[in-house]
Amino acid sequence: MKVLIFGATGSAGGSVLRACLASVIVDEARTITRRPLPLDHPKLRSFVHGDFLDFAPVAAAFDGIDALLFCLGVSATKVSSDEYRRITHDYAMAAANLLKAHSPQAAFHFISGQGTRPGSKIMWSRVKGETENDLMDLVGAVCWRPAAIDGERVGTYKMLQPFYRLLRPFRSLYIGGQDFGRAMLQATTEKMRRRVIENREIREIAERAKV
């Protein structure tokens, strides 16, 4: 299996990348990032690119892949509503359009979030909900709605991790970062398409991946 990962420098995406590199079913893990990854691995093929609305210069990253794992995101508290929509919706749609052109049979996995609702009055929830619907319409995306992701120790996640781990017994509230990656790979092998998956089911899929 060949996968392309967005957001590999972040907490969730970094964990998903490590799960892919460790998986026996992944032959090649590609990444598109704005800056080089501080990681070297024989399975890893990295592309550094700046314009996330136009991926034509790195179109080769989309060729012949089985899944695109879109883990890129930003907190709604850190950017304006327009920038939040651009990062959440427009970047994802740009990637999905190129995936459709270069690997039309590939799965598209989009990390959304618990509490996402297309008609919500809350900006981030509404934008993510609209993005889910647009991606499902365009490429039959699988949209994941995790609660607390116990991922790589990046930025503010370093402070949040001890709190996250208190939630581990609660299946609807916690998912380990690498387990999340394993769930995405498992969903790809099971040929899941056009679905919304909440946290409890994410853990169930991850458990199937370990069998």
Side-chain angles (χ1 to χ4, degrees), residues 167-174 199-200 203-204 207:
L167 301 174
R168 187 176 302 184
F170 304 97
R171 296 179 67 83
S172 63
L173 298 179
Y174 172 96
N199 200 89
R200 183 179 294 274
R203 289 184 60 160
E204 292 171 357
E207 287 163 1

Side-chain angles (χ1 to χ4, degrees), residues 78-111:
K78 294 183 177 181
V79 294
S80 68
S81 57
D82 288 343
E83 188 173 359
Y84 184 83
R85 182 175 182 85
R86 181 166 58 253
I87 294 170
T88 303
H89 178 275
D90 298 350
Y91 288 1
M93 294 302 294
N97 274 298
L98 211 59
L99 181 73
K100 186 175 182 179
H102 287 259
S103 293
Q105 301 305 313
F108 191 107
H109 297 285
F110 174 70
I111 294 187

Side-chain angles (χ1 to χ4, degrees), residues 68-175:
L68 191 157
L69 316 180
F70 197 89
C71 309
L72 184 67
V74 66
S75 170
T77 63
K78 294 183 177 181
V79 294
S80 68
S81 57
D82 288 343
E83 188 173 359
Y84 184 83
R85 182 175 182 85
R86 181 166 58 253
I87 294 170
T88 303
H89 178 275
D90 298 350
Y91 288 1
M93 294 302 294
N97 274 298
L98 211 59
L99 181 73
K100 186 175 182 179
H102 287 259
S103 293
Q105 301 305 313
F108 191 107
H109 297 285
F110 174 70
I111 294 187
S112 182
Q114 192 173 70
T116 294
R117 297 291 181 272
S120 176
K121 294 181 179 179
I122 301 171
M123 183 276 293
W124 72 262
S125 175
R126 181 176 64 255
V127 169
K128 283 193 171 183
E130 291 170 356
T131 305
E132 287 180 350
N133 287 343
D134 288 347
L135 289 171
M136 285 190 286
D137 287 344
L138 180 64
V139 289
V142 179
C143 301
W144 303 80
R145 292 181 180 175
I149 304 174
D150 187 1
E152 296 290 295
R153 294 177 64 85
V154 175
T156 57
Y157 285 94
K158 293 180 181 179
M159 296 179 289
L160 293 173
Q161 276 185 319
F163 169 72
Y164 283 174
R165 287 172 183 172
L166 293 174
L167 301 174
R168 187 176 302 184
F170 304 97
R171 296 179 67 83
S172 63
L173 298 179
Y174 172 96
I175 181 68

Side-chain angles (χ1 to χ4, degrees), residues 14-29:
S15 295
V16 168
L17 172 59
R18 291 186 183 278
C20 290
L21 294 176
S23 174
V24 297
I25 67 172
V26 174
D27 303 306
E28 184 176 85

